[in-house]
Amino acid sequence: MLVLGACSRSPESPESPAGDPSASIAAAASAALAATITPEVAAAVSAGAEPAIAWREPHGQAEVEAAFAEAQKLGQPVFVYWGAVWCPPCNQVRATVFNRPDFIAKSRGFVAIYLDGDQPGAQKLGARFKVRGYPTMILFRPDGSELTRLPGEVDAQKYLQVLALGLGAARPVRQVLAQAQSAPAKLSADDWRLLAYYAWDTDEQQLVGKHSLAPTLRRLAAACPPAQAEAATRLALQALLAEAGEEGKANAKVPRNHAAAREKLLTVLADDALARQNLDIVTNYAQELSGLLTAPGTPEREQLASVWAATLDRLTADARLSQGDRMAALVSRIALARLGAPKDAPLSAVLQEHVRLQTARADREVASDIERQAVMTSAAHALSQAGLLGDSDRLLNAELKRSHSPYYAMLQLAANAGQRGDKGAALGWYERAYKESRGPATRVQWGASYVSALVELAPEDAARIAQAAASVLGELKGQPDAFYDRTARSLERMSGKLLAWSHGAERAAVLGRLRAQRDGLCTVLPAGDAQRATCEGLLVAPARLPAGARSATHT
């Protein structure tokens, strides 16, 4: 989890902590669920309907072009899903959205493309579509122009609403944004919703630069008409997320008074309907937004943390939610409890027991291997963050025997060992995770993480570092598109670690041998290939800028 940059509806466990209202919440949830599922969907689920989405899985540019040509011929939009087999949030989407009969029915109206990041040529395609994190989901018009990007962490019902909104959009979100900035009064209710539920976190600065995102979203929220309160609230929360990001804080020119934003957030947290509409924000960013909006030791911090904790406890106990959403609420609850506390401060025994009970419940109730890849990795992370490393290890070791991507769980086992101070065990898990990982992009990513761990935990072991780094570079041999997108970023991170480590004669010699190996990879690339510059830039110290100059990457 340290190295990777996120729908079973079961009754609540009877083993809830004393005083926990989960039993009554679960009963109400079951009744509400029965009232909202259509008879057709219920019948399909009862019959054990298998996902039947007609995915195209292109292995290169030509097959992608063919899929878009087919869409244009049919007059259908294109749905592009960028993901990976091991990725927990991808498995969450597969378990809660892609397997739903209503989503499968909608898929008949668009051409569905699945880009697996480990397929041949996938990373080059990722660069074409400007996608980075897994999962990213994009809607295109039949003519190939991008319509909108879909949020991956909202709950399944909201996702389907946003999907329908995108499919019915009369124009791309880029045009909607332009009009919102020039003539907001002309926007329709659907236009405002399209902006509010756009996946700003996967935009990759196509619509708005990172330093302009927070103020742009604040202006949109302020321009929203009173009748569009849901969109205005969502845009305001998205603005806060952008501001809470490191880039947003670094770019802040003057301190802001967050009293109004804090009151708006308290309103959302106290209202179950509003909390559900913004579930992804409420269950994933409690610590970040509480830290942004309040100062340590203040009554405002105490009030916001108390209200947010109560909301997260309700969501964790809410059987209407997917298991993944409930576990995300639990993880956020722990993060909130740790806000402002010393790093090694223990959690209360009551909260630790709550974490044990909720993770044990999820372990009993989640049967699907796909869903377990999302939920149980989060459960293990929750246990680890709660200081329950032994419980986390036991859960992860059990998952190794049943997971379709056990190498992912090994990263958390490595992190747990490192948290104990057992460097040998941590490196053993990082090494094993690399050796057992599957897929070209994944193997480079896992290998680069292993090298980084070696540099951090065993910097004196030059031989082992040299062997591991050479192995990672060896993964690239024979790959025609090895230096694109996620793979390129993994290599660049590894390069930076090695450069920082390479002081002294022995280490400099290791770097020299690795550079020779790199040269062998670069020289086979055509001179005009965009990859060549990336390749040649590896293991090279960046040039120092003159005093007062600014890097082009920060303008």
Side-chain angles (χ1 to χ4, degrees):
M1 293 204 180
L2 297 176
V3 297
L4 305 176
C7 173
S8 167
R9 305 187 188 272
S10 310
E12 181 60 73
S13 165
E15 301 176 12
S16 300
D20 189 311
S22 58
S24 59
I25 291 175
S30 297
L33 179 66
T36 56
I37 291 184
T38 65
E40 292 78 13
V41 171
V45 172
S46 298
E50 290 295 324
I53 301 169
W55 291 109
R56 280 76 166 172
E57 299 186 32
H59 290 185
Q61 295 281 1
E63 292 182 28
V64 166
E65 297 301 338
F68 273 89
E70 178 186 358
Q72 190 160 22
K73 181 178 178 181
L74 296 172
Q76 291 184 337
V78 177
F79 177 96
V80 171
Y81 161 54
W82 166 251
V85 170
W86 53 263
C87 156
C90 302
N91 282 274
Q92 170 76 358
V93 172
R94 291 173 63 197
T96 61
V97 176
F98 292 168
N99 67 342
R100 289 175 60 109
D102 41 3
F103 179 86
I104 295 167
K106 284 184 183 296
S107 76
R108 303 291 187 264
F110 54 74
V111 173
I113 296 178
Y114 170 36
L115 295 179
D116 185 298
D118 280 309
Q119 290 289 356
Q123 294 300 317
K124 186 174 182 179
L125 290 171
R128 165 187 168 169
F129 288 115
K130 295 181 175 62
V131 292
R132 285 189 172 227
Y134 302 141
T136 298
M137 290 157 284
I138 313 173
L139 278 177
F140 293 87
R141 283 173 150 179
D143 65 6
S145 58
E146 184 172 322
L147 263 171
T148 192
R149 297 193 171 208
L150 301 164
E153 294 186 332
V154 294
D155 81 343
Q157 195 60 43
K158 177 59 69 177
Y159 184 93
L160 288 166
Q161 293 171 9
V162 177
L163 174 63
L165 190 67
L167 291 171
R171 52 187 174 160
V173 70
R174 180 183 296 277
Q175 294 178 16
V176 175
L177 176 62
Q179 187 168 49
Q181 293 172 314
S182 61
K186 295 183 177 180
L187 264 61
S188 68
D190 281 350
D191 287 335
W192 283 114
R193 284 192 284 269
L194 193 68
L195 289 171
Y197 288 96
Y198 180 72
W200 295 102
D201 58 333
T202 63
D203 175 55
E204 299 302 333
Q205 302 185 72
Q206 294 189 95
L207 301 185
V208 182
K210 58 186 175 184
H211 296 313
S212 302
L213 182 56
T216 297
L217 291 172
R218 280 198 297 271
R219 287 193 295 270
L220 290 175
C224 238
Q228 304 306 320
E230 177 184 342
T233 297
R234 175 84 181 178
L235 287 165
L237 293 178
Q238 295 272 25
L240 291 176
L241 285 186
E243 187 179 348
E246 286 303 314
E247 294 294 339
K249 285 189 291 185
N251 194 52
K253 292 181 172 59
V254 294
R256 294 186 63 236
N257 184 336
H258 286 111
R262 198 163 52 244
E263 289 304 314
K264 182 180 287 291
L265 183 52
L266 285 167
T267 300
V268 170
L269 295 172
D271 186 308
D272 284 343
L274 289 175
R276 283 292 298 272
Q277 287 170 3
N278 299 284
L279 187 69
D280 51 335
I281 297 173
V282 171
T283 58
N284 286 296
Y285 298 101
Q287 186 181 66
E288 293 83 352
L289 292 186
S290 295
L292 173 71
L293 299 177
T294 62
T298 60
E300 291 82 7
R301 168 71 59 87
E302 184 178 352
Q303 179 194 25
L304 182 57
S306 175
V307 172
W308 209 322
T311 301
L312 291 170
D313 285 343
R314 290 198 307 272
L315 294 171
T316 302
D318 192 341
R320 293 171 299 175
L321 300 180
S322 74
Q323 299 279 13
D325 288 333
R326 295 169 73 181
M327 201 53 56
L330 182 65
V331 170
S332 200
R333 177 72 172 86
I334 300 164
L336 189 61
R338 291 203 175 281
L339 179 63
K343 186 176 181 180
D344 57 351
L347 291 185
S348 71
V350 173
L351 184 51
Q352 283 189 326
E353 184 61 15
H354 179 58
V355 173
R356 281 196 179 99
L357 290 171
Q358 291 299 325
T359 53
R361 173 197 55 74
D363 190 17
R364 289 192 305 273
E365 294 177 0
V366 181
S368 158
D369 288 344
I370 292 173
E371 191 172 16
R372 288 187 74 88
Q373 182 69 12
V375 177
M376 303 321 298
T377 51
S378 292
H381 182 59
L383 289 164
S384 174
Q385 292 302 104
L388 303 171
L389 296 177
D391 298 80
S392 179
D393 281 353
R394 282 188 288 276
L395 183 61
L396 289 164
N397 276 295
E399 287 305 298
L400 295 182
K401 302 171 185 176
R402 63 182 298 175
S403 172
H404 63 261
S405 305
Y407 46 88
Y408 187 90
M410 294 173 193
L411 294 178
Q412 182 64 55
L413 284 162
N416 288 355
Q419 195 171 328
R420 291 191 188 91
D422 189 342
K423 295 181 181 180
L427 289 174
W429 280 116
Y430 278 119
E431 181 177 21
R432 182 177 168 188
Y434 168 43
K435 288 182 175 178
E436 297 189 20
S437 60
R438 297 289 179 268
T442 295
R443 286 190 58 78
V444 171
Q445 186 173 346
W446 261 243
S449 298
Y450 173 41
V451 172
S452 296
L454 282 168
V455 168
E456 180 181 348
L457 301 177
E460 74 288 345
D461 196 343
R464 191 174 179 185
I465 291 171
Q467 182 182 34
S471 177
V472 174
L473 291 177
E475 302 281 350
L476 308 171
K477 191 174 182 179
Q479 289 191 43
D481 299 316
F483 297 93
Y484 280 103
D485 214 63
R486 291 175 66 95
T487 301
R489 293 195 301 278
S490 296
L491 293 167
E492 287 165 351
R493 285 192 294 269
M494 183 179 81
S495 172
K497 290 284 187 179
L498 290 168
L499 285 168
W501 166 82
S502 62
H503 302 292
E506 182 184 19
R507 297 180 183 184
V510 169
L511 201 65
R513 292 193 295 273
L514 293 173
R515 284 171 174 158
Q517 185 179 1
R518 173 212 59 196
D519 291 343
L521 296 167
C522 298
T523 54
V524 300
L525 296 171
D529 194 324
Q531 298 180 91
R532 184 153 183 165
T534 302
C535 180
E536 292 173 344
L538 297 175
L539 305 173
V540 176
R544 289 183 177 274
L545 291 172
R550 296 180 65 194
S551 166
T553 61
H554 292 90
T555 55

